[in-house]
């Protein structure tokens, strides 16, 4: 018999924290908290394997599941001393989802399950509190009808609002038992009217509740969330069934969420929020703005003041869990008549600056080793540290403030609906998404937005948690603003009006909403960042370079810790308006003499470009790639432009148009490009070699160290490379003779065609280094371009054909296999005497960097802003390798 259900309670558990894949994150940690000796409502976890079975078998359960669920319920009954469905003193349970990784707000939860017309009376009698019992019942019907039966929640919200209006109440808590009873009757009627009748049988409720949680794994919002966060669809979710404890049973009851450190900054202070007389979902849903745990400057009554003993207890739990897990924890708790129950603990989502600070401080506190600290920061998140901040010197008109929910500066145009945010972004606009509160349905719009503003909800509201996870700046719970969705505008308390399309800026670290577009500055790097990156650099084996050709990119590259330039694409240097006409003259020249004349004009420009690069890189290696793209890319397209060019070159329009058409490549990634240009027009290669080596010689004469590396693109055979290398070497000899000075240089080959990868052993004989062009290699192996994948990727991923976007993360099964083989071939010929690395986009992708480290490459090269990511990913790869993982 398979085991589908794992029980826990009373300090014991069948599972533990290591069983996250089977029990989900929540289930594994509930088990672990029992083992640590914390008070956790007893319960059981239905494994993720049941979810997989459910989807593989037409949404049905394994045959023996129900029996195991029944024995799980008996286990809870024994520990709690109440019976499920008992009319006199009923056991109620919560049913919650819990995947391997947390997906906040994405999946369903049902609370107070087990209530019906009979058990509600039992609950009222046992608790001696009729109001509480009916409050729980109306919550349950509402949640069950919505989550399990699929009824529109607004129908119930509306009835609740109506009742409050009739009774002249502002808060739900002001409604009396009789009102709630009437509401229960009303809710049942609503369900019946729309054909979604609320079931009275507790076992039916439980069965359906579990099914609803599994069902929520496949909702559109959950699928979108998984896509954004690269979570595989076949992981499935577990379901946790636990005895209910009540945060809504009076004023000595509460529920809350807390972090063991500040998730926005990483500061080591206890940080969280709670709501008195409320149930868990009230806090996360952002319906009421919660109060702080620790006393702060807000003036709102803190738990430290209102319930000092429980606060002290919770503080002890914080310390215990952080020590146990050696990580910052995100915890949920409920207080039932002053008794503290822990409902969840997990590693807390945090901003990248917070992650770095926590990691660095935990090493200082002796909680973590440096290697462990390196593994604690998400490499993909690291570019957040480099995020811009608002220019402190720029004038700012703050029109409203809210909670500093997610730091960073964002500037964009106001939109009021998630769909609009996506649509505006698709047409190239920067937007700020403004919502009363966000819900999981808004996830796509939040992803598209530069920043998020909400009028309601605290630091642990959906908007805040999701925005922090995405690194999107967010100001939440701004009581200063009112939002009108119909008119698409927001008004501030001070009378400012912001309409759709108006520019706004936000400072997520200060919680400020600012009128207009405030200029931004690149993010300041903190001391912690410096300390952390030093450990990173000590740990990694891979060398990290940057792809850069402009002086500004080269400067950034150094600032971000690049150890050289791994790819300078020379073609980018010809698009400058001052050069493009000469470039075109070269391309359209009728013969070699004409080409040489045009190239002679380009030479001084190129030479200066390289001198600048060498100077900025100050002795670090610089790989310069010879001209790569098909020549027609440099030519104008419209008739007017062609006529203009003809005039400039003194040629007829017909000649220019004809020549331009002849150069056109139907598929610009193939054809007459790369080293084929050098083979057919050697004078281009000569000019570039001259520019590189004369620049290097001049820098050397000025006392600088220079290590130029010349790279040949789109090589497909050794012969091809040999022809180009002969041109380079002959040109070099000529220059050295002319100048009476020499300089060392290297010649390398891009490996970006399958043919080159297969012949890498031969190609290695003629070169000093390999630069894998994984962009072209992916295109030529997959037979599709990045644009093509964009169109079909969603479907391909949903159907498991690709695990990830092959243009973002190396397609290990296809492209990766060929790269690995090519590296082996290269090493077979030259061993350690050939320098091998990657300079496609994949060089800055953490998963890919891990792969490149494992197959023994020497370096990766990526865009300057991704250099810190690549450094960290390389260090993590090395730490894993050391640990044998
Ligand atoms: C590549 O193909 O991966 C590469 C680095 O060259 P480019 O992107 O310029 O084609
Ligand atoms: Mg390429």
């Amino acid at each position: 018999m398979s085991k589908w259900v794992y029980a826990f309670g009373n300090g014991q558990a069948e599972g533990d924290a290591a069983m996250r894949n089977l029990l989900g994150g929540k289930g594994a940690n509930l088990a672990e908290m029992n083992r640590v000796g914390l008070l956790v409502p007893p319960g059981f976890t239905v494994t993720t394997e049941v979810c997989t079975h459910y989807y593989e078998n037409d949404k049905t359960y394994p045959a023996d599941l129900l029996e195991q669920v029944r024995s799980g319920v008996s286990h809870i009954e024994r520990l709690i001393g109440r019976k499920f469905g008992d009319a006199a003193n009923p056991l109620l349970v919560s049913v919650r989802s819990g995947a391997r990784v947390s997906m906040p707000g994405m999946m369903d939860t049902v609370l107070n399950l087990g209530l019906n017309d009979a058990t509600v009376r039992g609950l009222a009698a046992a608790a001696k509190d009729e109001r509480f019992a009916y409050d729980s019942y109306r919550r349950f019907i509402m949640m069950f009808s919505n989550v399990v039966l699929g009824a529109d929640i607004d129908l119930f919200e509306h009835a609740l609002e109506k009742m409050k209006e009739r009774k002249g109440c502002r808060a739900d808590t002001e409604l009396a038992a009789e009102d709630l009873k009437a509401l229960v009757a009303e809710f049942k009627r609503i369900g019946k009217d729309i054909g979604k009748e609320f079931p009275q049988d507790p076992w039916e409720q439980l069965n359906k509740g579990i099914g609803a949680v599994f069902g929520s794994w496949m909702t559109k919002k959950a699928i979108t969330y998984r896509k954004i966060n690269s979570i595989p669809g076949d992981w499935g979710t577990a379901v946790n069934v636990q005895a209910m404890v009540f945060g809504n049973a009076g004023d000595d009851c509460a529920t809350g969420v807390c972090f063991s450190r500040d998730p926005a900054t990483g500061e080591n202070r206890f940080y969280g929020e709670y709501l008195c007389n409320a149930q868990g979902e009230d806090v996360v849903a952002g319906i009421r703005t919660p109060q702080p745990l620790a006393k702060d400057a807000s003036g709102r009554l803190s738990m430290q003041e209102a319930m000092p003993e429980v606060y002290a207890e919770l503080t002890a739990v914080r310390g215990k869990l952080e020590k146990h897990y050696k990580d910052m924890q995100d915890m949920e708790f409920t207080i039932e008549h002053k008794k503290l129950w822990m409902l969840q603990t997990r590693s807390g989502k945090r901003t990248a600056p917070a992650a770095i600070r926590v990691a660095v401080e935990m090493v200082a506190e002796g909680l973590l080793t440096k290697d462990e600290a390196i593994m604690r920061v998400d490499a993909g998140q690291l570019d957040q540290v480099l995020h811009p901040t608002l220019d402190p010197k720029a004038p700012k008109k703050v029109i409203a403030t809210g909670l500093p929910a997610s730091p960073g500066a964002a500037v964009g145009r106001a939109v009021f609906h998630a769909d609009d945010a996506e649509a505006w972004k698709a047409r190239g606009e920067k937007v700020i998404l403004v919502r009363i509160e966000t819900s999981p349905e808004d996830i796509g719009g939040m992803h598209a937005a530069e920043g998020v503003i909400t009028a309601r909800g605290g630091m642990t509201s959906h908007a805040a948690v999701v925005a922090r996870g995405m690194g999107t700046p967010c100001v939440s719970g701004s009581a200063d603003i009112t939002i009108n969705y119909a008119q698409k505008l927001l008004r501030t308390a001070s009378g400012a009006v912001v309409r759709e399309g108006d520019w706004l800026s936000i400072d997520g670290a200060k919680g400020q909403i600012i009128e207009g577009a405030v200029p931004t500055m690149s993010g300041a790097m903190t001391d912690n960042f410096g300390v952390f990156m030093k450990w990173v650099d000590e740990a990694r084996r891979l060398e990290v370079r940057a792809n850069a050709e402009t002086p500004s990119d080269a400067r950034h590259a150094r600032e971000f810790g690049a150890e050289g330039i791994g790819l300078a694409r020379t073609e980018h240097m010809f698009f400058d308006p001052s050069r493009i006409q000469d470039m075109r003259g070269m391309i359209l020249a009728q013969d070699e003499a004409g080409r040489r004349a045009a190239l002679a004009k380009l030479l001084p420009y190129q030479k200066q470009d390289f001198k600048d690069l060498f100077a900025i890189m100050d002795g670090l290696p610089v790989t310069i790639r010879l001209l790569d793209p098909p020549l027609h890319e440099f030519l104008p397209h419209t008739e007017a432009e062609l006529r203009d060019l003809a005039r400039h070159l003194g040629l007829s329009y017909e000649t220019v148009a004809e020549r331009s058409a002849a150069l056109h490549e139907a598929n610009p990634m193939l054809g007459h490009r790369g080293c084929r240009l050098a083979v057919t027009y050697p004078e281009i290669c000569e000019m570039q070699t001259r520019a590189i080596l004369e620049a290097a010689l001049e820098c050397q004469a000025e006392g600088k160290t220079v290590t130029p590396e010349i790279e040949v693109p789109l090589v497909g055979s050794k012969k091809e490379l040999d022809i180009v290398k002969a041109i380079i070497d002959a040109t070099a000899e000529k220059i050295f003779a002319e100048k009476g000075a020499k300089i060392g240089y290297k010649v390398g080959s891009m490996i970006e065609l399958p043919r080159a990868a297969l012949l890498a052993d031969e190609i290695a004989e003629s070169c000093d280094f390999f630069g894998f062009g994984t962009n072209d290699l992916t295109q030529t192996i997959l037979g599709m371009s990045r644009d093509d994948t964009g169109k079909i990727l969603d479907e391909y991923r949903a159907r498991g054909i690709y695990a990830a976007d092959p243009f973002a993360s190396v397609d290990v099964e296809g492209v990766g296999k060929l790269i690995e083989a090519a590296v082996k071939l290269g090493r077979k010929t030259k061993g350690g005497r050939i320098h091998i690395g990657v300079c496609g986009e994949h060089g800055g992708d953490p998963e890919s960097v891990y792969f490149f480290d494992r197959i023994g490459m020497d370096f990766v090269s990526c865009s300057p802003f991704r250099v810190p990511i690549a450094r960290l990913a390389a260090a993590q790869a090395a730490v894993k390798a050391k640990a044998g993982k």
Side-chain angles (χ1 to χ4, degrees):
M1 196 171 85
S2 302
K3 186 165 173 60
W4 308 112
V5 164
Y6 286 71
F8 55 82
N10 230 8
Q12 284 172 353
E14 293 181 305
D16 62 39
M19 293 165 76
R20 150 182 300 270
N21 292 359
L22 185 65
L23 304 181
K26 182 180 303 220
N29 287 329
L30 284 169
E32 190 76 11
M33 281 200 289
N34 271 287
R35 291 171 176 268
V36 174
L38 297 179
L39 193 57
V40 174
F44 59 88
T45 303
V46 181
T47 67
T48 54
E49 284 174 355
V50 178
C51 187
T52 311
H53 179 285
Y54 180 80
Y55 281 108
E56 280 174 359
N57 293 278
D58 210 13
K59 301 193 179 173
T60 56
Y61 299 134
D64 45 356
L65 177 70
L66 205 61
E67 195 189 318
Q68 295 189 27
V69 166
R70 281 188 185 268
S71 78
V73 170
S74 309
H75 159 79
I76 306 177
E77 289 175 340
R78 267 195 310 279
L79 292 183
I80 286 282
R82 276 182 250 145
K83 286 218 164 306
F84 191 58
D86 179 1
N89 187 12
L91 165 70
L92 303 188
V93 295
S94 65
V95 178
R96 295 170 202 264
S97 61
R100 277 193 219 183
V101 292
S102 91
M103 298 171 50
M106 289 301 136
M107 284 183 304
D108 290 336
T109 291
V110 187
L111 302 180
N112 307 312
L113 192 141
L115 278 175
N116 59 24
D117 293 351
T119 55
V120 70
R121 287 195 291 274
L123 179 67
K128 299 193 188 63
D129 187 344
E130 197 169 39
R131 190 201 169 279
F132 151 70
Y134 281 90
D135 182 50
S136 304
Y137 195 21
R138 72 92 192 157
R139 284 170 185 271
F140 175 46
I141 300 175
M142 195 162 164
M143 220 174 201
F144 192 91
S145 303
N146 175 236
V147 167
V148 182
L149 304 178
D152 182 356
I153 190 87
D154 287 348
L155 297 171
F156 301 89
E157 295 278 12
H158 184 72
L160 175 63
E161 286 308 313
K162 269 265 152 58
M163 175 65 80
K164 286 197 311 205
E165 245 170 60
R166 262 205 311 279
K167 297 289 166 182
C169 308
R170 288 190 55 202
D172 303 358
T173 43
E174 292 167 32
L175 290 173
E178 288 310 313
D179 306 331
L180 294 164
K181 260 188 207 171
L183 212 48
V184 161
E186 169 95 8
F187 281 4
K188 285 196 290 190
R189 191 190 52 72
I190 292 173
K192 205 164 183 177
D193 284 355
I194 57 169
K196 297 181 189 300
E197 192 169 353
F198 170 76
Q200 290 285 322
D201 176 6
W203 289 102
E204 182 184 347
Q205 293 170 358
L206 183 57
N207 205 6
K208 289 196 163 143
I210 293 173
V213 172
F214 287 143
S216 66
W217 180 252
M218 285 297 178
T219 56
K220 186 166 162 255
K221 65 184 177 186
I223 292 170
T224 306
Y225 184 91
R226 286 201 291 272
K227 204 171 90 193
I228 293 173
N229 293 283
S230 307
I231 299 169
D234 58 6
W235 278 4
T237 181
V239 180
N240 298 290
V241 178
Q242 275 178 288
M244 278 298 299
V245 286
F246 296 97
N248 62 329
D251 287 336
D252 58 351
C253 302
T255 183
V257 180
C258 54
F259 290 84
S260 59
R261 303 189 185 211
D262 185 329
T265 64
E267 187 187 344
N268 189 358
R269 70 180 177 107
F270 195 23
Y271 175 86
E273 297 170 327
Y274 80 114
L275 275 175
C276 241
N277 202 4
Q279 274 196 344
E281 303 321 286
D282 299 351
V283 183
V284 191
I287 292 165
R288 282 157 60 188
T289 300
Q291 294 148 258
L293 284 189
K295 205 170 151 191
D296 68 9
S298 71
R300 287 174 296 157
L301 182 66
S302 68
M303 183 164 148
Q304 193 172 10
E305 296 155 293
M307 300 179 173
E309 308 83 20
V310 189
Y311 178 77
E313 214 180 310
L314 190 59
T315 309
V317 170
R318 165 206 182 198
K320 199 166 189 175
L321 284 177
E322 208 179 64
K323 268 218 177 72
H324 184 72
Y325 284 97
K326 297 181 175 186
D327 197 7
M328 190 256 266
Q329 296 297 296
D330 165 357
M331 299 155 283
E332 286 179 23
F333 61 89
T334 281
I335 297 162
E336 188 182 75
H337 303 306
K338 299 209 165 148
K339 189 164 178 177
L340 175 67
W341 294 89
M342 296 309 294
L343 301 188
Q344 166 153 311
T345 191
R346 60 186 171 192
S347 142
K349 280 198 194 303
R350 62 205 85 173
T351 62
I356 291 168
R357 180 165 176 179
V358 169
V360 170
E361 293 187 355
M362 283 191 169
V363 171
E365 291 160 25
L367 268 180
L368 296 181
T369 64
K370 285 181 193 172
D371 277 359
E372 286 169 330
I374 285 169
M375 299 310 293
R376 283 297 157 76
V377 178
D378 175 3
Q381 226 193 356
L382 208 60
D383 61 342
Q384 276 179 33
V385 179
L386 317 172
H387 270 186
T389 52
L390 293 178
D391 181 351
K393 294 198 191 78
K396 292 179 203 71
K397 186 170 168 205
V398 177
I399 54 173
T401 57
L403 301 172
S406 177
V411 179
R413 303 173 70 185
V415 293
F416 293 83
H417 295 281
D419 292 348
D420 292 338
E422 290 187 72
W424 285 50
K425 159 94 184 216
R427 45 174 218 258
E429 298 278 0
K430 286 185 185 317
V431 297
I432 302 275
L433 178 62
V434 184
R435 300 288 296 164
I436 296 174
E437 60 197 274
T438 62
S439 71
E441 277 74 22
D442 297 330
I443 182 95
M446 294 181 72
H447 192 60
E450 306 295 313
V452 176
I453 295 173
T454 66
R456 278 210 301 248
M459 296 290 283
T460 49
S461 65
H462 176 266
V465 171
V466 173
R468 275 199 296 275
M470 289 178 171
T472 302
C474 173
V475 176
S476 72
S478 171
D480 296 348
I481 60 174
T482 47
I483 293 167
N484 185 323
Y485 285 143
Q487 294 175 9
K488 297 190 173 176
L489 60 79
L490 81 79
R491 267 176 226 286
T492 69
S494 58
V497 176
V498 177
R499 291 174 203 282
E500 185 183 57
D502 288 351
W503 284 90
L504 275 180
S505 304
I506 61 178
D507 184 331
K510 293 194 180 128
Q512 292 176 334
I513 303 171
I514 303 151
E515 195 173 81
V518 178
T520 55
M521 298 185 355
S522 75
M525 295 189 213
T526 59
D527 292 350
N528 285 327
F529 182 80
V531 170
F532 182 74
M533 292 310 282
K534 194 167 153 270
W535 299 343
V536 161
D537 290 341
E538 283 162 5
R540 72 187 154 88
R541 182 189 67 78
L542 277 176
E543 173 188 337
V544 178
R545 298 197 191 181
N547 296 350
E549 47 275 335
T550 65
S552 128
D553 277 353
R555 275 189 210 102
H556 274 131
R558 291 215 59 177
E559 199 181 315
F560 299 148
E563 296 167 284
I565 289 179
L567 173 63
R569 294 173 163 104
T570 48
E571 55 271 18
H572 292 190
M573 297 166 159
F574 293 115
F575 282 107
D576 190 278
S578 63
R579 309 173 186 188
I580 187 81
Q581 297 295 50
D582 288 330
M583 182 69 183
R584 288 168 175 169
M586 186 276 289
I587 293 168
L588 294 178
Q590 309 282 7
D591 50 24
E592 189 185 323
R595 265 193 305 278
R596 284 194 183 277
L599 284 164
K601 290 194 204 158
L602 289 166
L603 175 66
Y605 292 121
Q606 276 267 274
K607 197 162 136 185
Q608 192 55 46
D609 289 334
F610 300 143
K611 280 191 78 173
D612 291 346
L613 279 187
F614 292 145
I616 295 167
M617 297 316 288
D618 194 20
L620 296 176
V622 177
T623 303
I624 296 167
R625 183 175 74 186
L626 300 176
L627 194 65
D628 181 30
L631 297 177
H632 74 97
E633 281 193 10
F634 297 95
L635 295 178
H637 303 293
T638 67
E639 184 181 330
E641 286 171 324
L642 286 168
R643 282 190 187 283
D644 196 42
L645 179 62
R647 251 193 317 277
H648 179 84
L649 299 175
L651 296 170
S652 74
Y653 164 73
E654 286 71 25
T655 309
V656 171
E658 212 173 280
R659 190 89 180 92
S660 169
L663 284 168
H664 187 79
E665 291 291 345
N667 188 336
M669 72 190 212
L670 307 172
H672 192 187
R673 56 164 287 208
C675 63
R676 294 159 200 168
L677 295 172
V679 172
T680 51
Y681 299 141
E683 52 279 8
I684 301 180
C685 172
E686 281 171 30
M687 183 281 277
Q688 291 200 297
T689 304
R690 182 172 282 278
I692 294 166
L693 295 180
E694 285 190 7
L697 283 171
E698 285 176 25
C699 287
Q700 185 173 259
E702 291 164 18
K704 299 188 183 104
T705 314
V706 190
T707 42
E709 303 177 344
I710 301 173
E711 185 164 45
V712 186
L714 216 79
V715 168
S717 75
K718 174 174 181 307
K719 223 174 213 146
E720 214 174 14
L721 176 63
D722 283 341
I723 292 171
V724 182
K725 189 166 157 27
I727 302 168
I728 296 169
D729 290 341
T731 310
E733 284 312 313
K734 208 161 138 197
I735 297 166
F736 296 160
E738 281 167 24
K739 306 281 173 191
K742 281 193 172 193
I743 189 157
Y745 64 93
K746 290 181 177 154
V747 176
S749 173
M750 295 279 293
I751 305 288
E752 49 187 344
L753 290 177
R755 195 176 201 281
L758 291 166
L759 298 172
D761 47 349
E762 290 177 20
I763 293 173
E765 288 168 12
S766 299
C767 61
D768 304 309
F769 62 93
F770 280 169
F772 279 86
T774 47
N775 303 333
D776 274 310
L777 198 53
T778 303
Q779 299 194 75
T780 48
I781 291 177
L782 264 53
M784 61 170 71
S785 72
R786 186 183 292 274
D787 293 345
D788 296 330
T789 28
K791 283 177 220 143
I792 62 164
L793 191 62
D794 285 356
E795 183 172 345
Y796 266 49
R797 286 185 65 183
R799 295 170 66 174
I801 301 173
Y802 296 149
D805 176 352
F807 286 95
S809 222
V810 146
D811 160 39
V812 175
E813 288 170 3
V815 182
K817 225 176 199 163
L818 197 56
I819 295 176
E820 189 173 359
V823 170
K824 282 207 182 103
L825 288 173
R827 297 273 186 231
K828 194 178 86 190
T829 305
K830 281 228 165 128
R833 288 174 299 114
I834 183 163
H835 197 53
I836 300 181
V838 164
C839 53
E841 293 306 308
H842 303 84
D845 167 65
E847 286 292 317
S848 311
V849 170
Y850 173 67
F851 175 75
F852 299 143
D853 183 72
R854 235 190 28 206
I855 62 169
M857 287 216 181
D858 299 310
F859 73 94
V860 293
S861 187
C862 56
S863 67
F865 275 89
R866 305 192 85 182
V867 163
I869 297 178
R871 286 160 70 199
L872 177 53
Q876 292 179 336
V879 170
K880 279 192 209 163
K882 201 159 79 178
K885 284 184 201 156

